[in-house]
Amino acid sequence: MKDSSGKLTDWLAFYLCKGLGVKTLLALSQTQPLESLFKLTHKQLTECGLSPQVASSLLATDWRQVEHYHTLIKQAQITAINYFDPLYPPLLKEIASAPLLLFCRGNLALLSSPQIAIVGSRNATPTGLEIAAEFAHQLTLAGLTVTSGMALGIDGAAHKGALAGSGNTIAVLGTGVDVHYPKRHKLLTEQVCEHGLLVSEFLPGTAANANNFPRRNRIISGLSLGVLIVEAQIKSGSLITVRYALEQNKEVFAVPGSIKNPLSEASHFLIKQGAKLVENVSDILDEVSFFCESSLYNIEELKDDEAACRVLSSVGYEVTAVDLIAQRSQWSIDKVQARLLDLELADKVERVLDGYIRIR
């Protein structure tokens, strides 16, 4: 277990403190050692720039809970890497809502290796699985690490294809790195742990939860130089990964398919929007720059504050349905849901049964 930038218990306390994120800690680190925050009074914390709510939350840290997770991390031989650690991958630092902590098992050197993400449907066709595995294998032969999300279907095929040639692969999980999910990938997860790297922003013991997987997707694209989509439908988690890739100014590649195959919809849509059509691994290698010096995409985005405000102002302190938020903001449902995820990561809204509520 590594912990080269401050005590792990301190970082776990920061992680568990609701409303305390990377941006706030970056600002605070400019004026004082972060470990000194635990010695300050409520008044001193607010004078440092923390909101009264965050200051109260930090002072009320449950140190027994912190010690519980500290013990789990040691027992499972997990490496916890905080945002300020030299091992934290540089590309991931550049994304919005970068995770404060990464929990890892395996070859840590892969975190900063040049990576291509491969994503697609959980219900892929045999042809799609074959294509994903073949591309993964060829990419590793070219010296690239293949990154995916350990889901059934295309993800699993990508990991298997990379491992088949003793190549490098990273699995970004929507659970704790000590949890086998899906169960059918128990052996594959162990193989990636032994020969590659398992990564998660979720605490050890965290079980599968539908809300966690879209959050995982931003890390998959954030670690990578580009994203390859093999088979997927328009409304799928794979498109969330692609959307993050575009926002992060990464390359997007798409494998075309039959117009009679519903799983070709996403690839064909993306190709129409400017993604590169790929038929072999050379098509990817021709475009990828290891230093991200160029990109095919010029995306006109609203400033984060402006875009967030438009959706945030449409969410009430009572439960607000997504349809109503879209109507108020005059945005499409897909765009609203994507922005709501960003706001949820920033602790500005909370997802509930019938919609979202704004956090005071």
Side-chain angles (χ1 to χ4, degrees), residues 295-358:
S295 176
L296 292 174
Y297 302 93
N298 294 308
I299 305 164
E300 295 182 7
E301 299 180 47
L302 292 170
K303 292 182 179 178
D304 285 346
D305 290 344
E306 179 185 346
C309 181
R310 188 165 175 177
V311 173
L312 183 60
S313 61
S314 302
V315 183
Y317 292 107
E318 73 291 344
V319 178
T320 313
V322 174
D323 288 346
L324 182 56
I325 298 171
Q327 181 181 342
R328 289 175 176 174
S329 64
Q330 296 185 324
W331 279 18
S332 68
I333 294 287
D334 288 346
K335 195 173 180 182
V336 165
Q337 288 178 323
R339 184 56 63 187
L340 283 168
L341 176 60
D342 293 334
L343 291 170
E344 187 178 2
L345 290 170
D347 286 325
K348 294 184 183 297
V349 300
E350 183 175 345
R351 186 175 180 177
V352 294
L353 182 61
D354 295 320
Y356 287 81
I357 57 173
R358 191 166 178 175

Side-chain angles (χ1 to χ4, degrees), residues 246-319:
L246 291 172
E247 288 190 351
Q248 295 159 5
N249 208 28
K250 306 295 181 68
E251 303 287 359
V252 174
F253 307 97
V255 176
S258 168
I259 59 172
K260 294 185 177 181
N261 180 3
L263 294 177
S264 299
E265 289 177 355
S267 288
H268 293 172
F269 170 78
L270 291 170
I271 290 167
K272 291 175 186 176
Q273 301 302 312
K276 179 165 183 177
L277 185 155
V278 297
E279 297 174 304
N280 54 62
V281 74
S282 298
D283 293 330
I284 296 175
L285 299 178
D286 287 344
E287 296 295 340
V288 170
S289 164
F290 291 174
F291 302 100
C292 299
E293 292 173 342
S294 64
S295 176
L296 292 174
Y297 302 93
N298 294 308
I299 305 164
E300 295 182 7
E301 299 180 47
L302 292 170
K303 292 182 179 178
D304 285 346
D305 290 344
E306 179 185 346
C309 181
R310 188 165 175 177
V311 173
L312 183 60
S313 61
S314 302
V315 183
Y317 292 107
E318 73 291 344
V319 178

Side-chain angles (χ1 to χ4, degrees), residues 233-247:
Q233 292 181 305
I234 291 292
K235 293 185 177 181
S236 68
S238 301
L239 266 293
I240 296 176
T241 308
V242 168
R243 174 221 158 216
Y244 276 121
L246 291 172
E247 288 190 351

Side-chain angles (χ1 to χ4, degrees), residues 180-218:
H180 293 112
Y181 182 84
K183 295 292 185 184
R184 272 187 275 173
H185 278 174
K186 183 177 187 295
L187 177 60
L188 180 59
T189 302
E190 292 172 352
Q191 290 173 334
V192 172
C193 182
E194 183 177 354
H195 302 290
L197 181 66
L198 301 176
V199 178
S200 177
E201 68 174 320
F202 301 108
L203 289 162
T206 301
N209 183 302
N211 295 337
N212 292 349
F213 293 98
R215 295 179 61 177
R216 170 206 61 180
N217 292 349
R218 83 191 194 286

Side-chain angles (χ1 to χ4, degrees), residues 31-319:
T31 59
Q32 60 197 321
L34 293 177
E35 61 268 20
S36 69
L37 294 175
F38 299 103
K39 302 174 184 177
L40 302 182
T41 65
H42 189 278
K43 181 180 179 182
Q44 289 171 323
L45 287 171
T46 55
E47 288 174 348
C48 289
L50 293 183
S51 70
Q53 295 88 346
V54 173
S56 296
S57 180
L58 191 61
L59 289 171
T61 296
D62 184 343
W63 291 103
R64 291 176 62 184
Q65 185 184 33
V66 168
E67 189 57 38
H68 166 72
Y69 285 116
H70 186 271
T71 300
L72 286 181
I73 289 168
K74 291 174 65 177
Q75 289 176 341
Q77 297 183 313
I78 296 168
T79 299
I81 300 174
N82 67 66
Y83 184 87
F84 295 83
D85 194 305
L87 289 173
Y88 196 96
L91 281 182
L92 196 59
K93 280 192 172 184
E94 297 176 9
I95 74 168
S97 303
L100 179 61
L101 280 175
L102 291 175
F103 301 99
C104 306
R105 293 177 66 202
N107 182 2
L108 300 176
L110 297 184
L111 277 175
S112 298
S113 65
Q115 301 165 43
I116 293 293
I118 298 180
V119 298
S121 174
R122 286 174 169 81
N123 301 306
T125 65
T127 299
L129 298 176
E130 182 183 343
I131 290 171
E134 181 62 25
F135 266 92
H137 177 65
Q138 293 294 330
L139 286 167
T140 60
L141 291 180
L144 290 157
T145 297
V146 171
T147 300
S148 198
M150 193 53 79
L152 297 174
I154 296 298
D155 287 19
H159 293 306
K160 291 173 185 176
L163 292 171
S166 301
N168 295 324
T169 187
I170 294 176
V172 183
L173 308 181
T175 65
V177 290
D178 56 341
V179 175
H180 293 112
Y181 182 84
K183 295 292 185 184
R184 272 187 275 173
H185 278 174
K186 183 177 187 295
L187 177 60
L188 180 59
T189 302
E190 292 172 352
Q191 290 173 334
V192 172
C193 182
E194 183 177 354
H195 302 290
L197 181 66
L198 301 176
V199 178
S200 177
E201 68 174 320
F202 301 108
L203 289 162
T206 301
N209 183 302
N211 295 337
N212 292 349
F213 293 98
R215 295 179 61 177
R216 170 206 61 180
N217 292 349
R218 83 191 194 286
I219 298 177
I220 292 174
S221 59
L223 287 169
S224 305
L225 299 172
V227 174
L228 170 65
I229 187 164
V230 179
E231 284 185 339
Q233 292 181 305
I234 291 292
K235 293 185 177 181
S236 68
S238 301
L239 266 293
I240 296 176
T241 308
V242 168
R243 174 221 158 216
Y244 276 121
L246 291 172
E247 288 190 351
Q248 295 159 5
N249 208 28
K250 306 295 181 68
E251 303 287 359
V252 174
F253 307 97
V255 176
S258 168
I259 59 172
K260 294 185 177 181
N261 180 3
L263 294 177
S264 299
E265 289 177 355
S267 288
H268 293 172
F269 170 78
L270 291 170
I271 290 167
K272 291 175 186 176
Q273 301 302 312
K276 179 165 183 177
L277 185 155
V278 297
E279 297 174 304
N280 54 62
V281 74
S282 298
D283 293 330
I284 296 175
L285 299 178
D286 287 344
E287 296 295 340
V288 170
S289 164
F290 291 174
F291 302 100
C292 299
E293 292 173 342
S294 64
S295 176
L296 292 174
Y297 302 93
N298 294 308
I299 305 164
E300 295 182 7
E301 299 180 47
L302 292 170
K303 292 182 179 178
D304 285 346
D305 290 344
E306 179 185 346
C309 181
R310 188 165 175 177
V311 173
L312 183 60
S313 61
S314 302
V315 183
Y317 292 107
E318 73 291 344
V319 178

